[in-house]
Amino acid sequence: MCYSGIINIKSKEFDGKNDKMIEIKKKFYAKAEQAAAEIKDLLKTNGQTPVEMVTVSQLYQGMRGITSIVSEVSLLDPLEGIKFRGYTIPELREKLPKADQGSEPLPEGLFYLMLIGELPTQEDVKVISEQLASRSEIPEHVYKTIDALPMHAHPMTQFVTGIMALQTESKFAKAYGAGINKKEYWDPIFEDAVDLIAKVPYIAAYVYNRKYRNGAPLNSDKSLDWAANFAQMLGYSDPDFLKLMRLYLTIHADHEGGNVSAHTVHLVGSALSDPYLSFAAGMNGLAGPLHGLANQEVVKWIFEMQEKLGTDLPTKEQIVQYTKDTLAAGKVVPGYGHGVLRRTDPRFLAQMEFGKEYMPDDHMVQTVWNIFEAVPDVLGATGKIKNPWPNVDAHSGALLVHFGMKEYEFYTVLFGVSRALGVMANMCWSRALGFPLERPKSITTNGIKEWLAAGAEQGAI
């Protein structure tokens, strides 16, 4: 694998426009310039070095485990979970700046970390919060486009429709249409990325209020941080819910580059589609039951179990039997298992810690913990599951239900708002490093058979 399109970014003179993000842009540019030089040298000396062997089963089974993408902002460790620029979830909860009287990290700080590769100061986070507030205006046609959909449309359908309608605001699309040097692509991409992150909570909240709150107005407060303002627009003012939103939007932000939503944004962006088009494509992937929709499926599964058993606090024995019945019916237990992780997802554990502190007596939350104790043994006993442990989706819904958000179809939209942070940071890096159009080689089954036959004849297989 070789990224032949990487360029060595030349220094440029930044303009003097009155933009509080200018210093952060300068830092990002300096980091990208250094990284581009390092990658250019890496390719020169090791560009033809094989990375790994690809097996026939990997070709047929979702390319699972094939190392084929460079994603600078996060890396998934099978044992320690997701690491953002080397920091684990527990470390982020400790080290990232927090709101006044807040106990959870501010998502703006994680965005800075993913962009710059350094922990932000409180002032850095304040700058980003203010910038997001100043860029949050939504054109009227976006809301009208959403309103054209029937009310029964899934929240993700409405959310993606709003994102697509926002594409009219793309600075990169306008710059590309006017003619822009490819070395400068990163600049309008950066601006679009920050604009998009600023606007997605408003679209998400509009969808929620339209569908579940009889069209309640967006009572935004731009003096609040990004997550707190989002929560307020959803109609929530409980300080503990604001803390949950900060935690939720931080831990869902990215999960390295190969998951469906992140990879889709990267792939579509490699065609030089602007951030709005690329993000919308990624959100369509997130809407799948095997990806972001799983958090919806978890709560639905628990509600159905409670209804069938006639109790809101099933015993562990009842959970074991219901799990066995689910498997016997040819269904999966949502929220359990992961393609890479081989231990309990640290994002699940972070949410469990939050639950133990703020809602230890909540029956829904206790049910999640009982499932955690009961289900892995059942799944492990099948001998077919490599990772019987819970992932992030196994817990998030129960916390939301506690605060009254029982509309589980909306949970994936929350996931999408958070995921904007990671995929937009990564897109800034992809364009700054000049990554080319992504175009892997495909092969037919007959081609594989011919290759295997040729190898067998030569004694190579």
Side-chain angles (χ1 to χ4, degrees), residues 27 38 46 58 151 180 193 200 215 305 337 361 408 434 441 454:
K27 289 181 181 179
E38 292 175 354
N46 297 287
Q58 286 177 307
M151 198 68 72
I180 182 175
V200 290
M305 176 173 61
D361 299 322
Y408 53 74
K441 179 73 174 72

Side-chain angles (χ1 to χ4, degrees), residues 38 59 68 103 172 218-219 423:
E38 292 175 354
L59 294 179
S68 59
S103 58
F172 175 77
L218 300 181
N219 293 321
V423 297

